[in-house]
């Protein structure tokens, strides 16, 4: 068969095959069509090889015919490639839609919130109801925000390398040891009246049965004209009752922290024995929760607040210990081991 006749017959074949591909409307068929004509063993490739056997006189005409056919086929395949994109999209849209309202089966791993997250959410909610705003700040901070502004003297043991993680190669960067740094940032950024809680991770060089090098705290503070110890006592009592139950008693005990004067620690009656004494409360009837006090005038001076005009109270406590109490956990460390068998025991949703 002459080259020109072959061109005719290949074109007829191609047009038929092209129709079939359009009917199938799947993108893989387009690629198969391309291989059948333009691939290494394709029909058009074979025809181009044959050109070599054509006589010199006929070659220009035959060559031109083959070229015209090649451009035609390449153009048509390019069109099909473009069309194939919309076939693929239509295939996706035609799939049965996923019903997101179906209940999750018991066998599925539905995930759950970490116990510390659950307790933090509850604490945030309680403090929001008491009119507090949640504030955030850096986990890596300077000596000023973590220590100096808080009236912690230069040679206080808390600043020791044994107790605080310092950033290598820097003379004053450290991992915060308490979330009070957030409150210093808040006081410098905002003006009184302030009612703020600061939840977050804190870091200390400490690791044993009851201490992990990272743990979670919430600190809170209120600054305004005329704030008294009575506001402090009422707030501590209100939030402890909201978290542990309104029937449990609360108490303050005198204590010392460099950033407050006077200072106190606060306890809630043991929920296990209702104050009778048991293993959980080591027979005292009370669970120690945290510390508090009236903000020291030196702290106000450090942030440029007039301590003769403003007064305030502050408090701080660990979230992890409340989670341990809430879920009756024997070991603090399992909170941070990432063991699915343990973490799967908690609810998906919090309040
Ligand atoms: C504890 C005790 C406490 C504060 C934290 C505070 C913050 C500022 C000024 C004054 Cl900016 N005080 N925070 C006060 C008393 C105690 O924490 O046992 N935390 C786990």
């Amino acid at each position: 068969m002459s080259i020109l006749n072959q061109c005719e017959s290949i074109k007829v074949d191609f047009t038929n095959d092209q129709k079939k591909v359009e009917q199938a409307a799947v993108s893989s068929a387009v690629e198969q069509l391309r291989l059948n004509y333009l691939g290494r063993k394709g029909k058009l490739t074979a025809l181009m090889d044959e050109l070599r056997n054509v006589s010199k006189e006929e070659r220009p005409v035959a060559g031109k015919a083959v070229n015209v056919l090649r451009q035609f086929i390449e153009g048509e395949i390019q069109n099909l490639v473009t069309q194939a994109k919309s076939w693929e999209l239509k295939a996706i849209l035609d799939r049965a839609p996923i019903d997101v309202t179906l209940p999750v089966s018991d066998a599925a791993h539905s995930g759950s919130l970490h116990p510390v997250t659950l307790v933090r959410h509850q604490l945030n909610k309680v403090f929001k109801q008491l009119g507090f705003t949640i504030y955030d700040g850096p986990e890596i901070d300077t000596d000023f925000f973590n220590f100096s502004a808080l009236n912690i003297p230069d040679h206080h043991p808390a600043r020791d390398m044994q107790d605080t993680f310092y950033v290598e190669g820097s003379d004053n960067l450290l991992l915060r040891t308490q979330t009070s740094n957030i409150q210093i940032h808040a006081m410098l950024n905002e003006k009184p009246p302030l009612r703020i809680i600061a939840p977050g991770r804190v870091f200390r060089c400490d690791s044993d049965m009851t201490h992990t090098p990272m743990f979670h705290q919430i600190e809170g503070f209120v600054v305004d004209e005329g704030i008294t110890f009575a506001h402090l006592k009422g707030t501590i009592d209100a939030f402890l009752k909201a978290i542990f139950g309104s029937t449990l008693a609360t108490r303050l005990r005198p204590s010392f922290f460099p950033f407050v004067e006077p200072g106190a620690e606060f306890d809630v009656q043991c929920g296990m024995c209702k104050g009778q004494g048991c293993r959980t409360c080591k027979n005292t009837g009370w669970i120690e929760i945290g510390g508090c006090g009236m903000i020291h005038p030196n702290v106000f001076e450090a942030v440029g607040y007039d301590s003769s005009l403003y007064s305030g109270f502050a408090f701080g406590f660990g979230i992890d210990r409340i989670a341990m109490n809430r879920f009756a956990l024997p070991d603090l460390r399992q909170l941070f081991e990432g063991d699915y068998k343990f973490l799967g025991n908690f609810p998906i949703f919090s309040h």
Side-chain angles (χ1 to χ4, degrees):
M1 216 192 325
S2 79
I3 293 275
L4 293 184
N5 283 343
Q6 285 193 65
C7 278
E8 267 318 301
S9 114
I10 289 177
K11 186 167 177 176
V12 170
D13 287 351
F14 178 80
T15 312
N16 285 334
D17 289 349
Q18 185 185 10
K19 283 207 188 90
K20 284 186 203 143
V21 168
E22 279 168 345
Q23 272 160 12
V26 290
S27 52
S28 58
V30 178
E31 175 60 6
Q32 193 53 55
L33 182 68
R34 191 187 67 78
L35 287 173
N36 288 349
Y37 287 84
L38 303 173
R40 214 154 46 85
K41 292 184 180 149
K43 289 182 185 177
L44 192 73
T45 316
L47 191 60
M48 277 155 69
D49 286 346
E50 263 186 59
L51 271 180
R52 267 181 281 146
N53 308 327
V54 172
S55 70
K56 259 194 188 138
E57 299 76 43
E58 287 174 80
R59 201 175 284 169
V61 177
K64 185 164 184 209
V66 171
N67 240 335
V68 168
L69 179 61
R70 186 169 62 97
Q71 278 170 12
F72 170 75
I73 290 179
E74 281 176 356
E76 290 302 304
I77 287 181
Q78 198 46 53
N79 288 344
L80 286 173
V81 167
T82 309
Q83 259 179 282
K85 294 214 175 86
S86 60
W87 298 339
E88 279 172 33
L89 184 63
K90 187 173 181 316
I92 291 169
L93 292 175
D94 283 350
R95 264 185 228 154
I98 295 167
D99 184 352
V100 294
T101 66
L102 282 175
V104 176
S105 87
D106 287 347
H109 289 278
S110 53
S112 55
L113 289 177
H114 192 281
V116 172
T117 304
L118 290 164
V119 170
R120 192 187 68 241
H121 286 180
Q122 193 195 0
L123 288 162
N124 285 350
K125 189 183 170 199
V126 165
F127 281 111
K128 274 193 210 167
Q129 286 168 341
L130 290 171
F132 286 75
T133 302
I134 300 167
Y135 217 86
D136 203 2
E139 290 175 3
I140 302 173
D141 213 341
T142 61
D143 181 276
F144 172 80
F145 286 96
N146 195 76
F147 291 127
S148 306
L150 288 154
N151 196 37
I152 299 173
D154 276 352
H155 297 289
H156 193 278
R159 290 175 179 252
D160 202 284
M161 294 268 290
Q162 248 84 57
D163 295 311
T164 300
F165 291 109
Y166 287 90
V167 174
E168 220 169 53
S170 157
D171 55 2
N172 75 343
L173 281 178
L174 47 80
L175 301 191
R176 68 178 178 210
T177 60
Q178 54 206 28
T179 49
S180 335
N181 73 318
I182 301 174
Q183 303 170 214
I184 301 300
H185 284 285
M187 283 194 272
L188 286 169
N189 292 340
E190 321 285 341
K191 282 200 285 281
L194 295 176
R195 244 186 291 179
I196 283 172
I197 58 160
R201 292 189 184 92
V202 299
F203 307 86
R204 292 182 195 174
C205 305
D206 220 347
S207 193
D208 58 35
M209 276 279 285
T210 51
H211 298 87
T212 48
M214 185 282 299
F215 57 104
H216 302 84
Q217 274 194 343
I218 288 193
E219 288 207 15
F221 75 122
V222 171
V223 179
D224 201 352
E225 297 176 31
I227 298 295
T228 71
F229 202 93
H231 296 117
L232 166 61
K233 191 165 191 287
T235 304
I236 298 287
D237 183 66
F239 107 78
L240 287 178
K241 285 192 157 66
I243 299 293
F244 292 96
S246 57
T247 59
L248 293 176
T250 69
R251 74 175 185 187
L252 297 179
R253 282 175 289 114
S255 186
F256 175 81
F257 302 96
F259 21 89
V260 289
E261 182 58 37
E265 284 174 68
F266 53 91
D267 306 336
V268 64
Q269 209 174 27
C270 180
M272 228 45 138
C273 60
K274 310 282 182 238
Q276 294 312 108
C278 67
R279 258 181 48 189
T280 300
C281 60
K282 300 196 196 86
N283 277 317
T284 63
W286 296 93
I287 306 288
E288 295 180 14
I289 303 297
C292 62
M294 301 306 290
I295 299 174
H296 198 288
N298 289 354
V299 175
F300 284 140
E301 299 306 324
V303 295
Y305 282 13
D306 181 352
S307 62
S308 67
L309 179 59
Y310 294 117
S311 58
F313 67 81
F315 54 86
F317 56 90
I319 305 177
D320 318 284
R321 287 182 192 286
I322 295 184
M324 286 179 73
N325 179 285
R326 163 70 41 84
F327 298 113
L329 306 177
D331 186 348
L332 175 76
R333 291 174 296 188
Q334 55 191 328
L335 288 175
F336 308 119
E337 279 169 355
D339 178 354
Y340 270 28
K341 267 198 226 129
F342 168 74
L343 293 173
N345 292 314
F346 301 91
I348 305 174
F349 299 111
S350 56
H351 309 267

